[in-house]
Amino acid sequence: ALFMITLGIIISTLTVTSANHWLTAWLGLELNMISILPVITKQKHPRSTEAATKYFLTQAMASALMLFSSTLNAWQTGSWDITQLNNKLSCILMISALTMKMGAAPAHFWLPEVLQGSTLTTTLLITTWQKIAPITLLYMISNHIQSNILLPIGLLSILVGGWGGINQTQLRKMMAYSSIAHLGWTMAVISIAPNIALTNIIIYMTVSTPFFLLLTSSSSKTLQTMTTTWAHAPTATIIMMLLLLSMAGLPPLTGFTPKLLILDKLVMHKLTPAATTMAILSLLSLTFYLRTTYLLASTTSPTTTQSTTLWRLKPNYYQITTILTPVALFNITILPALLT
């Protein structure tokens, strides 16, 4: 059953990314939604059932809107081609549908709730893999989108992501708001420089994956439980601290690069006020990243364990974490992009 579900999730995403026809893309997204629902409801708990129901309803609504948009475009222009979304109303409806699919503001309300009702591994899946299909579609129609539609959505997402995350003590909800803020940066620039927008989202996925895997290994679900990781896993704690700072976009780390490129592109397109607003709003996100970093690194637990902790012996995620962590922390991999 697990193999079939995994296969369904992978094939559905690949169907969307390789589609040329709107109906094929819609079919892929529907298959994707059906495949992820058993993963969310894996825990036999009312919270996970509630999360799956919320996920299903929002995704179904977005799919219906997407189908309506593509049908309207085909009716007006006679083309079902994804790259030929020429009708203006269809374009606006499609942006609304994909915004809801991804969980960007103002259609973000489902994301923190769904993540809170899921396991950490499912949370990782929803915040990374599940974003690939809608972002690919947005990338394919980016030449038809005017920046005055996507820029306000991006700014609102950065604001909501920063403001919503400040008050959170639950790590899954905090990471949901972090995801909304990163989507905001992507949305703001996708109509101006789609390649940089893709770079931003890929880097976010690269940074958040090892962070979630380390959280899963140490079974940390709240800020309170994070304070004790220093006692039994100092190396993991240091890596988590650096990954958080990378997500915040602090200079020597990888997370800073896409933000710099995005701001540079916005200034080049005479959108300096928007770039300034985005830079200021990212300080809201920085607040909760720094608070989490402080709790991780500066509050040493009074008791240090003498025995070997059980979770340290589980080698389940170490390979992925080891590969992704250097990429997530060092700018070397994308240095050529900075030089051009």
Side-chain angles (χ1 to χ4, degrees), residues 80-289:
W80 281 97
D81 198 316
I82 291 176
T83 53
Q84 301 298 316
L85 197 71
N86 297 320
N87 188 355
K88 200 170 181 182
L89 179 61
S90 291
C91 203
I92 294 165
L93 286 171
M94 189 58 72
I95 292 164
S96 308
L98 293 175
T99 302
M100 197 184 284
K101 279 261 174 214
M102 285 186 282
H108 66 281
F109 296 101
W110 63 271
L111 189 63
E113 297 297 320
V114 168
L115 295 198
Q116 187 55 35
S118 314
T119 60
L120 281 163
T121 322
T122 313
T123 306
L124 168 65
L125 192 66
I126 295 169
T127 51
T128 54
W129 185 264
Q130 293 300 98
K131 300 273 188 280
I132 296 171
I135 281 174
T136 307
L137 290 174
L138 201 61
Y139 179 82
M140 287 167 84
I141 63 166
S142 59
N143 58 333
H144 292 290
I145 308 168
Q146 292 163 324
S147 59
N148 61 0
I149 297 171
L150 277 184
L151 205 55
I153 293 174
L155 287 167
L156 188 64
S157 294
I158 298 167
L159 175 67
V160 166
W163 222 326
I166 282 177
N167 208 25
Q168 297 303 330
T169 53
Q170 295 286 335
L171 287 171
R172 282 166 292 183
K173 275 195 175 179
M174 193 184 86
M175 291 311 291
Y177 284 108
S178 164
S179 170
I180 293 163
H182 278 88
L183 276 175
W185 283 86
T186 305
M187 298 281 275
V189 83
I190 202 160
S191 59
I192 298 161
N195 291 345
I196 289 174
L198 275 192
T199 308
N200 179 55
I201 208 72
I202 289 164
I203 287 170
Y204 166 68
M205 289 174 186
T206 312
V207 177
S208 62
T209 303
F211 182 73
F212 271 115
L213 294 178
L214 286 168
L215 283 181
T216 311
S217 302
S218 59
S219 305
S220 301
K221 289 187 178 71
T222 61
L223 289 177
Q224 192 179 1
T225 50
M226 264 187 121
T227 56
T228 58
T229 52
W230 190 253
H232 57 248
T235 317
T237 308
I238 292 164
I239 293 169
M240 279 158 82
M241 183 186 80
L242 288 168
L243 288 168
L244 276 167
L245 293 175
S246 185
M247 260 188 255
L250 292 182
L253 306 165
T254 307
F256 170 69
T257 311
K259 285 187 167 63
L260 179 68
L261 293 171
I262 289 167
L263 294 176
D264 178 51
K265 273 280 177 262
L266 288 171
V267 172
M268 277 170 69
H269 282 77
K270 309 241 180 334
L271 292 165
T272 314
T276 312
T277 312
M278 284 167 73
I280 291 166
L281 290 177
S282 68
L283 294 174
L284 288 168
S285 299
L286 183 65
T287 309
F288 66 80
Y289 286 128

